[in-house]
Amino acid sequence: MKILAISCEIRDPSIEEHLSRVQTLSEKLVIVHNRRMQLGMSERDIHHIAHASILHDIGKAEIPEGILYKPGPLSPYERTIIEMHPLMGADILNKISREINNEFISSLEVAENIILYHHEKWDGTGYPHHLKGEEIPLEARITAIVDVFDALTSRRAYKDSWSVGRALSFLNEQKGKHFDPDMVESFFECFVERE
């Protein structure tokens, strides 16, 4: 699955590291959240979420480079194009899944939920469907917080990297707005366990 994700985003040489970090941290978060919230998820469920998280941004393969790697602020039109990448990603996944053995993508529904909904926000202000709260699938809520954290703590063409402390403060500020409050608490516990 990693090869599939990287091949869809090969234009950015740093993408492989981002995808690997998202996958690794998603696995840690789902394990902690499962234990903390007593969800009763199986190892297979955890595996599906962790491995599908690497596909979260495959839709960006369809975004023109001039928009995707623009160093300055995006125009409203460019922002609209960027916000279409979850829908484009779901379309790519569905096309690929018709052509390959479904065992390759261990859980198509989990992968599609991550791709489609990882930019939804807890308060309903996200995109593309403005889902709110627990309407957002669990796997998408997991990937969302990990993706934002990694984006904040990584240097990008349009911004410098943030410190881990500053990124964690931001996530805490966004608890109940952008992110599931329980997921934020589980994410913080991942960092406590590492110390």
Side-chain angles (χ1 to χ4, degrees):
M1 208 167 330
K2 186 173 185 177
I3 292 169
L4 171 63
I6 293 166
S7 68
C8 287
E9 300 194 55
I10 201 69
R11 298 173 294 176
D12 184 346
S14 67
I15 198 65
E16 183 176 359
E17 293 170 6
H18 168 68
L19 297 175
S20 293
R21 288 189 304 265
V22 166
Q23 186 177 41
T24 300
L25 199 46
S26 291
E27 183 173 24
K28 289 177 185 170
L29 178 54
V30 73
I31 289 168
V32 169
H33 194 67
N34 180 47
R35 183 188 69 234
R36 200 175 141 271
M37 302 302 292
Q38 300 178 353
L39 300 177
M41 296 172 73
S42 68
E43 283 188 35
R44 187 170 187 215
D45 295 333
I46 292 166
H47 174 82
H48 286 168
I49 293 171
H51 286 274
S53 69
I54 204 167
L55 296 173
H56 68 281
D57 273 342
I58 63 170
K60 287 186 176 177
E62 300 289 323
I63 305 293
E65 286 185 30
I67 295 174
L68 195 58
Y69 302 119
K70 184 177 177 180
L74 297 174
S75 71
Y77 169 77
E78 292 166 334
R79 170 63 46 202
T80 299
I81 298 298
I82 286 283
E83 290 181 2
M84 291 175 64
H85 83 269
L87 300 170
M88 295 171 178
D91 187 53
I92 290 169
L93 180 70
N94 288 318
K95 286 176 183 171
I96 291 169
S97 69
R98 287 194 298 264
E99 303 295 325
I100 60 175
N101 179 346
N102 275 345
E103 292 297 312
F104 180 68
I105 299 175
S106 54
S107 176
L108 194 59
E109 182 180 0
V110 168
E112 186 172 40
N113 283 344
I114 288 171
I115 293 165
L116 265 177
Y117 305 123
H118 72 283
H119 283 292
E120 298 290 351
K121 294 184 180 180
W122 189 253
D123 65 4
T125 62
Y127 64 88
H129 298 294
H130 307 289
L131 299 183
K132 185 176 185 177
E134 292 187 3
E135 293 173 347
I136 306 164
L138 177 70
E139 53 268 26
R141 287 182 268 148
I142 288 165
T143 306
I145 195 167
V146 170
D147 184 39
V148 168
F149 176 79
D150 189 71
L152 291 173
T153 57
S154 301
R155 192 180 188 295
R156 299 284 173 96
Y158 51 87
K159 67 163 210 61
D160 287 328
S161 62
W162 289 17
S163 69
V164 168
R166 182 179 176 200
L168 291 175
S169 290
F170 175 79
L171 298 181
N172 195 48
E173 289 167 15
Q174 292 298 308
K175 188 170 33 176
K177 298 173 192 168
H178 190 146
F179 305 112
D180 173 347
D182 288 326
M183 196 66 65
V184 172
E185 294 303 319
S186 294
F187 191 78
F188 282 13
E189 196 167 306
C190 290
F191 284 84
V192 170
E193 288 182 356
R194 284 174 23 173
E195 294 173 354

